[in-house]
Amino acid sequence: RRSYSVSSAFDFAPALFPLSASGAGYTAIGTPGTPAFDTTGGSLEKNKSLTFLNGLSLIVGLIIGSGIFSSPASVNTNAGSPGAALIVWAIAGMLAWTGAASYAELGGAIPLNGGPQVYLSKIYGEWAGFLFTWCAVMVLKPGSAAIIAIIFGEYMVRAFVGADAMETSVWINKIVALGGLILVTALNCVSTNLGRRSTDMFMFLKFIALLGVTVTGIVVAITGLSYSGPASDDWKTIGWFEGTKTDPSNWAVALYAGLWAYDGWDNTNYVTGEFINPQRDLPRTIHTALSLVVLSYLMANVAYFFVLPVATINSSNTVAVAFGRFVYGPVGALVLALVVCGSCFGSLNATTFTSGRLVYAAGKEGYLPEFFGRLGLSKNTAIRLPLRGSRASRFTKFIADDAGFFYTPIWAMLLNASLTAVYVVIGDFSTLTTFYGVAGYTFYFFTVLGLIILRVKEPNLERPYKCWITTPVIFCCVSLFLLSRAVFAQPFQTLIVVAFIIAGVPLYWWRVGSRGKNGRQQSMDWKFWKRWGRN
Ligand code: ARG
């Protein structure tokens, strides 16, 4: 077990928020020129490599997954009319955005890997950070990855074997899903660069796809040219608000469906410590990403409405494929199915990247056995292929890190992949999504509430980025509304979530309580806090 006796001159409690009255002693972590990597045991935070663009493709690549291609039906049917559906998409986008902006403030103030794990510890005490980690590592991250992997499998099978095979055997889907999972895990184990570059690539693909859908929609609406003839509902006569539902529970369900499509906005926070300049780039990344995503989702939805009859949208859980078939015929359906595959694959890749970092942070913290917080397979000599001198080809350099190959949190990735595989195999889709929604929003809520608490408790904490106070307040109110609906709609599943969170308490005593007097949280250590002008 890791020992936590970092010799420190100062007391733990005041060290919690050592405030820089001056602010001058505050240097951006990871100014270019920090040693590229650490050879002894190592830490990802020292191997800073993420730029603004990497962050952008990471978060956009993660957010745009399955949702925009498959959720429109449930948003639509629950909102009742195209206009109301668009409003739901806009509200969901704004909600995700307020959450993300709040996280940007926290991440700027506390620029460490692990995200909420660190914020919650700082704000409520380490138990809260631990419980988050417990849920995120065991269920939230692998659960959401499993959902994406399953959807990936479905579309893959749909594209290559046909929709019939998809209905007859879920096992084919699951096997394909596992294949995708193994592939992304391998990519991310090989090098940080490889994981990152594939994410970048898929992000471009997704944007092109969404742009393609939008442009096609407009062209078809105007010219009436398509494989199946003109768009069947004349878009000029769509009753945009006909049939809008008024029951709040319908809206809540619609909102949940929309939120799944926007989910993942918190993920850059898990890797903040790896940003070269987190204080500047994290907020920039988040705002750019969310504005791009909200805009492209709204446009894609408008395109669906322009082209497909509302009834078709409502009855299909694969709107994108229906869209492709309508406009370009069978080839279009195939192409769009492949696009959705690619989109899910990219999302799975990005979520694997961040999950690895989360598990890794937990290992470093001593929440998990030590080897999960390791880079490479073995301790001091992380297994990595040397990469020096001119012998390394440009290609090698392209896919390897400065530190060579396999200098990644391999054990952490493996844990995440194994749990994901378990959920893919045994997971029931609707249980997974409910659990994910309830537990996920519980932690989003408490983290954003924590931002408000932190403003009161530590008004002088250096915040390179500060959002309007209305931002977290709106987020807290809406997520509370969503949570309360879930509690009433599915009391039994909510109870399971609560029980699961509470099950983390004894583990907390075991992993953290037994650290002893000198035990302290790694993320609270001097290396971090001295940047606030201490030491
Ligand atoms: N928004 C993504 C989609 O539409 C899902 C993201 C899941 N969340 C996560 N943290 N992996 O498929």
Side-chain angles (χ1 to χ4, degrees), residues 11 27 82 129 195 256-257 261 291 295 310 312 328 332 373 433 443-444 452 468 477 481 491 496:
D11 225 80
T27 35
Y256 261 122
S291 47
L295 194 71
V310 175
T312 310
Y328 300 109
T433 42
F443 284 108
Y444 289 152
I452 304 174
W468 289 340
C477 295
F481 160 73
I496 296 180

Side-chain angles (χ1 to χ4, degrees), residues 251-311:
W251 281 69
V253 177
L255 207 53
Y256 261 122
L259 282 171
W260 168 256
Y262 286 109
D263 195 71
W265 46 262
D266 58 329
N267 272 259
T268 27
N269 284 67
Y270 297 123
V271 297
T272 319
E274 278 169 81
F275 269 86
I276 295 171
N277 186 349
Q279 281 87 10
R280 187 196 61 198
D281 287 341
L282 183 68
R284 274 213 305 177
T285 301
I286 284 178
H287 287 299
T288 318
L290 268 292
S291 47
L292 286 174
V293 170
V294 173
L295 194 71
S296 52
Y297 278 15
L298 288 176
M299 292 193 317
N301 271 296
V302 172
Y304 294 148
F305 286 127
F306 273 3
V307 171
L308 294 173
V310 175

Side-chain angles (χ1 to χ4, degrees), residues 113-133:
N113 266 9
Q117 174 186 318
V118 194
Y119 318 147
L120 292 170
S121 298
K122 295 267 192 286
I123 298 162
Y124 303 103
E126 197 177 351
W127 58 272
F130 182 90
L131 290 183
F132 165 78
T133 307

Side-chain angles (χ1 to χ4, degrees), residues 322-397:
F323 182 90
R325 179 169 299 119
F326 190 92
V327 182
Y328 300 109
V331 179
L334 176 69
V335 170
L336 263 290
L338 287 177
V339 162
V340 181
C341 277
S343 180
C344 290
F345 186 82
S347 189
L348 190 60
N349 187 51
T351 199
T352 303
F353 184 90
T354 57
S355 304
R357 271 62 188 174
L358 180 71
V359 177
Y360 166 83
K364 286 240 143 185
E365 208 67 272
Y367 296 166
L368 290 170
E370 178 269 338
F371 61 91
F372 287 116
R374 218 182 256 174
L375 294 181
L377 276 175
S378 60
K379 197 157 190 183
N380 291 322
T381 52
I383 296 180
R384 56 203 159 88
L385 306 180
L387 175 82
R388 293 237 167 67
S390 51
R391 284 216 315 246
S393 68
R394 291 182 63 181
F395 177 71
T396 318
K397 283 191 175 141

Side-chain angles (χ1 to χ4, degrees), residues 62-63 65-67 141 144 148 260-264 267 347 351 436:
L62 202 154
I63 294 180
S66 56
K141 297 295 298 178
S144 56
I148 304 173
W260 168 256
Y262 286 109
D263 195 71
N267 272 259
S347 189
T351 199
Y436 184 74

